[in-house]
Amino acid sequence: MSERVTYFVDVILPVPIHQEFTYRLPYELNDHIQFGVRVIVPFGKNKLQTGIVTRIHQEVPTLYQAKYVEHLLDETPLITNDQYAFWKWISAYYMSPIGDVMNAALPANFKLASETKILLHPSYIPSLDHLSEKEQDLVSILEEREECDLKELATLLDIKSIHPLVKRLIERRVVTTHESIQDRYTPKTVSCVMLAEELLAEELLTEAIASLEKESRNIKQVELMIHLLKLKTDGGGLDRPIAKQKVLEFGSAAVLSTLEKKGLVYIERFQIDRILLKAGEGKDIPTMTEPQRIALEEVRNHFEVPAKICLLHGVTGSGKTEIYVQLIQEYLDQGKQVLFLLPEIALTTQLITRLSAYFGEQVGVYHSRFNQNERVEIWQKVMENNLQQYRIILGARSSVFLPFQQLGLIIVDEEHENSFKQYDPSPRYNGRDAAIVLGKLHKCQVLLGSATPSMETFYHASEGRYGFVKLYERYLGLSMPEVLIADLKRERRLKSMNGHISSFLMEEMKETMARGEQIILFQNRRGYTPQWACEVCSWTPKCTNCDVSLTYHKHGNHLKCHYCSYVTNPIGACPACGSTRLKMIGFGTEKIEDELGLLFPDKTVKRMDLDTTRSKNAYQVLLDEFEERKIDIFVGTQMITKGLDFDNVGLVGVLDADMLLNRPDFRAYERSYQLISQVAGRAGRKSKRGKVIIQTGDPDHWVLQHVMQHDYPSFYNNEKIERENFFYPPFYKIINITLKHIQEPQLEVSAAELAQSMRQFFKERVLGPEFPIIKRIQNLYLKEIKLKIERGAPEKKVKDKLQELIHSFYEKPINKSVKIVIDIDPL
């Protein structure tokens, strides 16, 4: 570029605005500017933001005077052209500001704004030797103040452009941003045995073992050291970590502790999901059964068509993962990258461990709640297209935003899961659908896997839009679990219930535990009891911020709102009539755990729900205990339906199927079938059949009948008729418009006005406005308008018109305080 030519750049800023902003480029940056780099630009009054350059041109803005770019942060692009096209699609399809897409896509350490808090990195060891004078001054300020925002640091150091200085220190892990240490997610770790550093030289290690051999009492220590040495060399080197559990197979904990005290070894925890544990790397790809081999061949045939989408409909326990592993190896051999999407990283460490055993450090895990420095590291490795590391990205929905260079295959496991949908904040995208579009942009293959596919996916596969591969036989020919019904109406009439456990389920539980097998009980409601009520006047305690009754939690002895986390103490007397006759209605996982403790006092009962998995590593501790058979009865919410593969589960109980079936939601039957089938699939996965008991007051319900027969196609055909008759997906697309306001009368007027303007254009396709089931959340009243659009309708025209109507709505000053949330394809 010519030095004296005036250039302008279009920049995306991480603010909730649909447009990009134009800035003037200083002449000295003309030869350095390029698409995809970060720049620091002024935005608003006395505020600086990090933006991404998307276009370089000479067009002078006509509506405002362009401000100057303050600083260039990167020498090479941070995003690719394909990524930018993907961001634009997310923004347009989900009607989300492009700034929100940038916010969702980039790790926090890439976005430095004036108010970003900077603090010393937890792993930084104080040493000023390798720092410049300004860097030393910045570190000294943070040692004194603990944290500062960028504006404060710039003032204290008397530097106009503080961002490049902070960027360098972040890269060297001297400082970090505030966001990066707020993560509650803690990946799975494992204790490993490491040799002392001074023993990594082979001759020194030989000397140490010889020294131990001099005394006969050290014979067990010598034996353990020799076994450890063999494990290290087999694993790839003396510096390789070896799982402590594996080492203890050859010696006692006391012997290992003695070696540690002598300084010969030390124990360190390594993260499984960042694949720092490399022992077992290079495990052979498993041999496939004949049904698996046929399914794999069919998938390959579909993939002969470029950018093909294929559904692998395999029943629970059919061995879909082995097919994934074979395909991954084939694409790695072609030099391609692979994206493996999972609904929940926190509950899929079994899969992480299995894949790392085959592919070692080629596997990288990416998750929105990961440490920001780790996310930046993986981002850069993917961008570099490193041939040795991170060729396979295992991640939740946010991993679709990574800067892939040679993406060859996308696998979406459990594609039906609603965890793939982002609800808040914007963009409210679906990871599965976004992955399909990403596949088209990269011209790569997309494989959707599920035992209970979503109605939309199964519809497209049935109609021939997607490839369709069926795997209806369990691994090694094992039978599907036997599904039986416990009739709650009959049991209650005969007064044979044991609390909330039917006599039928009770007898099966006793027989299962007598055989030494484990039990999983599923109740999709946490807490002790969902509702308290006065027997005299029917008053119930409500949340002060939301129109919802409070749930009682016995463990903390409090009433809690599951929408805003409001907590209050239990009430001794009804405030409405003064009666002390308060009864508990319904039951949650906490109450079931309590009842089972009384029914089986000699058995270990644990529960897994949001309340028991908040603390560090809590979920993994529970899963490990269950896998090691330390838990007899495992009670849980839908958390236990995902990613679990245990070989000793003889019985699964679904405690309240009616709660799932009777929700006021058009997807209620679909979700019920999926949840019950998935939890049923936890039974008898290895060598025995397993049994499932569903407790219900409606044993003849058609959905439950199809669950008993493991017949998803028949369920789909029944449900499809209802969906078509009442204009629901997959035949129609739905757009939910939610209006929020602190005052109910104002909301009523505004919602009616917007709905009326929509009806003038969209006619009978507009439903509402109506209050949702919970009309007030966090002190804001809600009203919903639903727009149903034929699948073949011109999508862009519909959304452009809707955006135009919303703009007109906000032109009235009275409506400016009303917040509108748009959700495309809600789940």
Side-chain angles (χ1 to χ4, degrees):
M1 294 184 186
S2 172
E3 281 188 13
R4 303 305 297 176
V5 174
T6 300
Y7 287 106
F8 295 87
V9 290
D10 291 347
V11 175
I12 302 176
L13 294 177
V15 291
I17 296 174
H18 285 271
Q19 71 183 73
E20 297 175 28
F21 296 87
T22 302
Y23 288 87
R24 186 171 175 179
L25 195 69
Y27 293 130
E28 61 268 23
L29 294 182
N30 278 7
D31 291 333
H32 305 284
I33 197 70
Q34 54 185 313
F35 166 86
V37 295
R38 288 175 300 162
V39 288
I40 301 297
V41 294
F43 184 75
K45 190 177 179 181
N46 301 322
K47 187 176 178 183
L48 295 174
Q49 283 279 14
T50 304
I52 299 263
V53 173
T54 59
R55 182 168 165 255
I56 304 161
H57 56 88
Q58 293 179 264
E59 300 164 18
V60 182
T62 55
L63 298 177
Y64 55 89
Q65 184 174 351
K67 297 177 182 179
Y68 276 93
V69 170
E70 292 273 338
H71 199 86
L72 176 65
L73 278 180
D74 302 309
E75 294 178 5
T76 56
L78 192 71
I79 67 168
T80 66
N81 283 294
D82 282 338
Q83 267 182 298
Y84 178 53
F86 184 57
W87 289 10
K88 294 285 280 184
W89 177 83
I90 292 264
S91 175
Y93 185 83
Y94 291 102
M95 300 181 70
S96 172
I98 188 71
D100 283 350
V101 181
M102 174 185 170
N103 251 332
L106 291 184
N109 280 353
F110 282 147
K111 301 168 290 188
L112 298 174
S114 304
E115 67 276 11
T116 301
K117 296 289 184 184
I118 307 297
L119 62 163
L120 288 175
H121 195 283
S123 64
Y124 171 65
I125 300 170
S127 170
L128 303 179
D129 298 343
H130 62 294
L131 302 178
S132 68
E133 186 179 340
K134 284 292 183 187
E135 289 170 343
Q136 290 180 23
D137 292 342
L138 188 149
V139 169
S140 299
I141 290 169
L142 293 180
E143 285 176 336
E144 184 181 330
R145 295 192 174 207
E146 289 192 4
E147 66 177 38
C148 274
D149 62 37
L150 290 178
K151 196 180 288 186
E152 286 178 305
L153 284 173
T155 304
L156 292 168
L157 294 170
D158 193 24
I159 300 176
K160 185 182 178 185
S161 295
I162 189 73
H163 297 75
L165 178 66
V166 171
K167 174 179 174 268
R168 287 199 302 273
L169 292 176
I170 285 175
E171 288 170 351
R172 288 151 67 185
R173 296 199 173 197
V174 175
V175 302
T176 185
T177 62
H178 201 287
E179 297 94 328
S180 68
I181 64 162
Q182 288 180 322
D183 306 314
R184 289 181 297 178
Y185 170 75
T186 305
K188 181 185 178 183
T189 61
V190 64
S191 288
C192 293
V193 180
M194 302 290 295
L195 282 174
E197 285 189 27
E198 58 270 22
L199 300 183
L200 293 179
E202 211 166 308
E203 62 276 7
L204 294 175
L205 178 59
T206 306
E207 285 177 22
I209 293 174
S211 177
L212 284 174
E213 286 175 333
K214 289 177 183 177
E215 294 187 40
S216 59
R217 63 180 179 177
N218 293 338
I219 187 166
K220 289 187 177 179
Q221 296 170 34
V222 172
E223 288 174 358
L224 191 58
M225 283 294 287
I226 290 170
H227 282 299
L228 179 60
L229 179 60
K230 185 176 187 307
L231 289 170
K232 295 272 186 186
T233 50
D234 290 348
L238 295 178
D239 62 338
R240 291 297 174 100
I242 302 295
K244 180 180 175 182
Q245 194 174 359
K246 196 171 186 66
V247 175
L248 291 178
E249 291 175 9
F250 302 98
S252 68
V255 174
L256 183 61
S257 178
T258 304
L259 291 174
E260 191 176 7
K261 286 174 186 174
K262 289 182 176 181
L264 299 176
V265 300
Y266 62 95
I267 310 296
E268 186 177 341
R269 291 197 77 83
F270 283 84
Q271 292 180 5
I272 288 285
D273 43 7
R274 287 198 67 227
I275 317 307
L276 294 177
L277 181 63
K278 304 183 184 80
E281 180 181 337
K283 184 178 172 183
D284 290 338
I285 302 294
T287 305
M288 307 188 81
T289 62
E290 186 62 15
Q292 287 175 320
R293 193 193 60 71
I294 293 169
L296 176 61
E297 198 56 44
E298 288 180 16
V299 171
R300 286 179 183 140
N301 292 339
H302 286 300
F303 281 175
E304 287 178 4
V305 180
K308 182 69 176 179
I309 304 155
C310 181
L311 169 64
L312 174 59
H313 183 206
V315 297
T316 54
S318 58
K320 295 186 288 294
T321 305
E322 280 68 32
I323 294 174
Y324 299 155
V325 168
Q326 292 278 356
L327 286 169
I328 288 169
Q329 187 61 61
E330 290 172 17
Y331 281 88
L332 290 180
D333 292 343
Q334 297 171 31
K336 299 289 188 180
Q337 294 169 310
V338 176
L339 172 60
F340 196 132
L341 279 181
L342 295 161
E344 288 273 359
I345 284 292
L347 293 171
T348 48
T349 49
Q350 286 181 330
L351 182 57
I352 292 166
T353 308
R354 284 168 75 179
L355 287 183
S356 65
Y358 299 127
F359 304 111
E361 56 185 343
Q362 292 190 89
V363 180
V365 179
Y366 191 83
H367 191 277
S368 59
R369 289 181 290 174
F370 248 31
N371 176 289
Q372 296 295 341
N373 293 302
E374 292 172 345
R375 295 182 71 205
V376 167
E377 177 191 338
I378 292 184
W379 184 287
Q380 290 168 339
K381 284 285 197 309
V382 173
M383 188 77 174
E384 291 165 10
N385 198 21
N386 190 305
L387 292 174
Q388 302 303 319
Q389 288 183 305
Y390 305 139
R391 303 297 295 167
I392 308 159
I393 296 299
L394 195 63
R397 58 178 180 261
S398 58
S399 53
V400 296
F401 292 114
L402 282 167
F404 295 101
Q405 303 290 310
Q406 287 185 299
L407 192 59
L409 174 67
I410 300 174
I411 297 171
V412 185
D413 195 24
E414 307 296 354
E415 64 82 27
H416 65 277
E417 277 284 351
N418 58 358
S419 304
F420 282 122
K421 174 72 173 176
Q422 164 83 9
Y423 292 100
D424 275 310
S426 166
R428 294 170 179 84
Y429 67 100
N430 186 310
R432 177 201 62 210
D433 297 343
I436 289 170
V437 172
L438 187 68
K440 288 179 181 175
L441 285 171
H442 285 269
K443 299 181 174 58
C444 76
Q445 314 295 6
V446 180
L447 181 63
L448 309 176
S450 177
T452 54
S454 65
M455 290 287 294
E456 289 88 338
T457 298
F458 202 84
Y459 172 75
H460 291 312
S462 301
E463 296 293 310
R465 296 187 184 95
Y466 296 171
F468 195 180
V469 177
K470 301 166 186 175
L471 184 57
Y472 291 167
E473 187 177 318
R474 274 189 149 189
Y475 187 66
L476 298 177
L478 194 67
S479 298
M480 293 295 289
E482 181 184 8
V483 181
L484 303 168
I485 296 289
D487 187 345
L488 292 184
K489 274 186 183 176
R490 179 176 173 278
E491 295 250 2
R492 284 170 184 148
R493 190 172 64 249
L494 297 173
K495 295 184 170 53
S496 58
M497 296 288 291
N498 296 275
H500 293 90
I501 309 292
S502 63
S503 61
F504 180 35
L505 178 55
M506 188 75 173
E507 286 304 314
E508 291 292 342
M509 288 174 69
K510 288 176 181 176
E511 289 178 18
T512 302
M513 287 186 285
R515 294 193 301 268
E517 295 173 355
Q518 293 165 289
I519 298 166
I520 289 177
L521 297 181
F522 171 63
Q523 168 63 2
N524 205 27
R525 179 173 273 158
R526 63 190 171 101
Y528 190 81
T529 180
Q531 195 173 345
W532 275 19
C534 174
E535 290 186 1
V536 176
C537 69
S538 298
W539 172 89
T540 58
K542 294 281 186 73
C543 175
T544 58
N545 307 314
C546 314
D547 281 345
V548 63
S549 59
L550 297 172
T551 299
Y552 177 61
H553 290 252
K554 185 180 179 183
H555 179 70
N557 192 33
H558 57 239
L559 294 164
K560 185 175 182 179
C561 173
H562 288 171
Y563 286 85
C564 72
S565 297
Y566 167 79
V567 173
T568 187
N569 292 325
I571 295 151
C574 172
C577 70
S579 168
T580 55
R581 291 167 60 190
L582 297 172
K583 63 178 179 180
M584 296 181 181
I585 302 171
F587 63 101
T589 51
E590 192 179 7
K591 190 171 186 180
I592 294 300
E593 181 189 28
D594 208 31
E595 287 181 358
L596 291 170
L598 298 173
L599 292 169
F600 301 102
D602 59 331
K603 301 297 181 183
T604 304
V605 182
K606 293 283 182 76
R607 65 186 162 96
M608 174 182 274
D609 55 28
L610 192 61
D611 299 316
T612 60
T613 55
R614 291 183 192 277
S615 61
K616 180 180 179 181
N617 279 340
Y619 70 86
Q620 195 55 48
V621 169
L622 285 170
L623 293 183
D624 288 346
E625 285 181 358
F626 192 67
E627 190 165 18
E628 292 162 12
R629 306 186 184 183
K630 294 177 182 176
I631 299 172
D632 299 301
I633 307 172
F634 206 21
V635 184
T637 57
Q638 61 180 319
M639 278 185 168
I640 62 173
T641 70
K642 303 174 187 177
L644 301 183
D645 186 8
F646 300 121
D647 59 3
N648 194 44
V649 177
L651 177 67
V652 167
V654 178
L655 299 181
D656 190 1
D658 301 332
M659 182 191 74
L660 299 171
L661 292 165
N662 296 327
R663 288 176 303 169
D665 176 9
F666 77 92
R667 292 189 191 273
Y669 289 170
E670 179 186 2
R671 289 267 173 76
S672 299
Y673 186 95
Q674 289 166 344
L675 270 174
I676 296 171
S677 292
Q678 288 290 337
V679 75
R682 305 309 109 198
R685 292 177 66 89
K686 297 287 183 182
S687 57
K688 36 194 174 289
R689 186 179 183 191
K691 190 175 285 188
V692 181
I693 294 177
I694 302 171
Q695 294 193 158
T696 176
D698 187 3
D700 297 322
H701 198 291
W702 70 271
V703 173
L704 299 181
Q705 293 300 314
H706 286 307
V707 170
M708 292 174 71
Q709 295 154 17
H710 305 286
D711 190 357
Y712 180 85
S714 295
F715 163 79
Y716 165 80
N717 289 329
N718 270 30
E719 182 70 356
K720 184 177 76 167
I721 295 167
E722 293 290 305
R723 298 282 186 94
E724 193 167 13
N725 287 342
F726 293 99
F727 313 115
Y728 279 108
F731 304 98
Y732 276 66
K733 294 180 80 70
I734 291 180
I735 300 176
N736 266 1
I737 299 104
T738 303
L739 293 87
K740 302 181 179 183
H741 198 272
I742 198 166
Q743 294 178 349
E744 187 178 351
Q746 171 64 55
L747 180 66
E748 293 262 21
V749 172
S750 297
E753 180 187 325
L754 179 60
Q756 183 58 35
S757 65
M758 287 174 63
R759 276 196 186 88
Q760 290 176 5
F761 184 79
F762 296 111
K763 311 299 182 191
E764 71 283 351
R765 299 176 183 87
V766 179
L767 302 179
E770 296 290 343
F771 285 113
I773 298 168
I774 300 168
K775 66 184 284 190
R776 183 173 61 105
I777 295 178
Q778 295 181 353
N779 282 323
L780 290 175
Y781 288 93
L782 314 177
K783 274 225 154 175
E784 290 181 350
I785 301 170
K786 200 178 292 289
L787 179 60
K788 292 182 178 180
I789 299 295
E790 298 87 342
R791 187 162 284 278
E795 205 169 276
K796 187 176 185 306
K797 184 179 177 183
V798 168
K799 289 172 184 173
D800 286 348
K801 185 63 182 179
L802 180 57
Q803 198 71 65
E804 180 190 318
L805 293 171
I806 290 171
H807 285 159
S808 301
F809 172 82
Y810 277 127
E811 284 174 2
K812 288 189 176 181
I814 195 170
N815 292 331
K816 290 193 180 296
S817 57
V818 178
K819 183 182 179 183
I820 292 180
V821 172
I822 300 173
D823 189 6
I824 310 292
D825 302 334
L827 290 181

